[in-house]
Amino acid sequence: MSGRPRPSVFEREVCSAARLVWLVALTVAAMLFSLAAFAHEVRPAYLSIREEAPNELRVLFKTPMQGNARLALKALFSGRIEMMTPVVSHPTGDAMVQTWRIRTLEPLAGQRVLIDGLQNTMTDALVHVVLANGNTWTARLTPGTPSALIPASQSTWGVFTTYVRQGIEHIAFGFDHLLFVAALMLIVRDWRRLVKAVTAFTVAHSITLTCATLGWVTLPSRPVEAMIAISIVMVAAEIVRMERGQTSLAITSPWMVAFAFGLLHGFGFAGALVEIGLPQGDIPLALVAFNFGVELGQLAFIGALLTLAHVVRRFAAMPRGAAVASAYAIGIVAAFWCVQRLDAMFL
């Protein structure tokens, strides 16, 4: 009997995942208003401590802001210190940057650094220390572990694991990036083309992530965020077009569209990495680690959707037209972000 070839197991799982995406998208939509209340708090704080001379430190502390309110965090040291200059504060976008100089009466290595108030938040803090002898140390503090002991030196592995975790955490809370990947899965339902499209997206955002973080190419963050939301709306529209039997470049060559929009999304990743801060002595390593963490998170998301689809297929039938419903749900969420971000541009 002639007809359409029977789809492979992978293709059936991808199609089932497509039907699940609308549930994911609607869940995100329901969370939007609650997320808006603490979205800024999820962004990490950043503490930079540079020993310019023995026991003389220059401190930079960047904390997230919500409106005109700064997250109530304070950097403390276990040793005795003297203030050399007053704290100078100035807002930069969605963060407050504070700088001051102190003199510590005890060696910095061996002291504990504490981000007081971190235990009362939902965010974390990245601490970067440069000692007078050139040794560096980078650590990630969390609400459960708001303090750490400053060692005399740190291994390369320590820097790598710290930034890998930051990359994973960023993509986990990067709902716009995840929705773009989900929309891409709705268009690309053949595993070979999906691998090609995801690879193109990865290569593209890796290029702009590196270039933007190193300062070679820069774009304002707010227009980039608005364009990322628009890119999701455009891909959602292509899903509807495909379900109606129409064709376009996104449908016939999704890897090209994935690459083009990946360049844009890379600027979004770079904005997060610049906000976190980079260890000056280990910039290449931190870049590789952060990007690796982003990719791990992205692959985990794809794997989770496929696994969930496989499990659900065994117990329930998906509604017809779920792909179109998914596209509209994703488009509505992305359109909300677009309006929200465009409004923020003109405040």
Side-chain angles (χ1 to χ4, degrees), residues 28 89 109 129 145 165 208 270:
V28 173
S89 304
V129 176
T145 311
R165 287 195 296 267
T208 47

Side-chain angles (χ1 to χ4, degrees), residues 176-177 179-188 192-208 227-228 231-232 234-236 238 248-267 269 295 298 302:
D176 47 1
H177 302 296
L179 270 192
F180 180 86
V181 173
L184 197 62
M185 291 179 67
L186 286 173
I187 290 180
V188 187
R192 295 178 182 86
R193 298 177 73 212
L194 180 62
V195 169
K196 189 176 180 179
V198 171
T199 300
F201 182 67
T202 296
V203 171
H205 72 61
S206 298
I207 292 172
T208 47
M227 288 300 298
I228 287 174
S231 74
I232 302 171
M234 293 174 66
V235 174
E238 293 301 314
S248 66
L249 180 64
I251 297 169
T252 58
S253 301
W255 71 269
M256 295 180 64
V257 175
F259 184 86
F261 285 145
L263 293 173
L264 180 65
H265 283 244
F267 284 108
F269 291 134
E295 298 319 313
Q298 183 175 284
I302 293 173

Side-chain angles (χ1 to χ4, degrees), residues 31-280:
M31 293 169 59
L32 276 176
F33 297 100
S34 59
L35 283 173
F38 66 88
H40 293 282
E41 189 172 329
V42 170
R43 296 180 293 110
Y46 176 66
L47 175 65
S48 172
I49 306 165
R50 180 173 294 273
E51 191 174 25
E52 297 182 328
N55 297 342
E56 292 186 4
L57 314 176
R58 179 178 294 276
V59 182
L60 181 149
F61 192 31
K62 181 160 56 176
T63 54
M65 292 183 65
Q66 185 172 359
N68 295 322
R70 181 180 74 88
L71 203 59
L73 301 177
K74 186 176 182 180
L76 300 175
F77 301 89
S78 60
R80 294 173 296 165
I81 64 168
E82 294 178 348
M83 297 293 294
M84 297 177 63
T85 64
V87 176
V88 177
S89 304
H90 62 278
T92 57
D94 295 329
M96 176 67 74
V97 176
Q98 298 176 301
T99 56
W100 67 96
R101 295 184 66 199
I102 60 176
R103 179 183 293 108
T104 178
L105 304 181
E106 303 167 16
L108 183 61
Q111 292 192 40
R112 296 193 71 85
V113 58
L114 166 69
I115 306 298
D116 189 34
L118 192 65
Q119 64 274 16
N120 301 321
T121 70
M122 300 179 65
T123 188
D124 54 19
L126 200 66
V127 179
H128 181 61
V129 176
V130 180
L131 301 177
N133 60 10
N135 289 339
T136 64
W137 173 72
T138 303
R140 173 175 171 265
L141 304 182
T142 65
T145 311
S147 69
L149 183 69
I150 302 174
S153 62
Q154 183 180 33
S155 67
T156 299
W157 178 249
V159 176
F160 181 79
T161 55
T162 296
Y163 278 86
V164 166
R165 287 195 296 267
Q166 288 294 328
I168 294 173
E169 189 169 289
H170 174 68
I171 195 68
F173 287 101
F175 297 110
D176 47 1
H177 302 296
L178 293 179
L179 270 192
F180 180 86
V181 173
L184 197 62
M185 291 179 67
L186 286 173
I187 290 180
V188 187
R189 301 177 191 178
D190 173 81
W191 73 268
R192 295 178 182 86
R193 298 177 73 212
L194 180 62
V195 169
K196 189 176 180 179
V198 171
T199 300
F201 182 67
T202 296
V203 171
H205 72 61
S206 298
I207 292 172
T208 47
L209 168 63
T210 301
C211 292
T213 304
L214 295 177
W216 297 342
V217 181
T218 58
L219 290 177
S221 61
R222 289 186 175 180
V224 166
E225 292 175 355
M227 288 300 298
I228 287 174
I230 292 173
S231 74
I232 302 171
V233 174
M234 293 174 66
V235 174
E238 293 301 314
I239 298 168
V240 176
R241 185 192 299 271
M242 184 179 69
E243 291 297 314
R244 291 175 177 173
Q246 301 173 7
T247 188
S248 66
L249 180 64
I251 297 169
T252 58
S253 301
W255 71 269
M256 295 180 64
V257 175
F259 184 86
F261 285 145
L263 293 173
L264 180 65
H265 283 244
F267 284 108
F269 291 134
L273 185 54
V274 169
E275 188 174 85
I276 293 170
L278 288 170
Q280 292 302 308

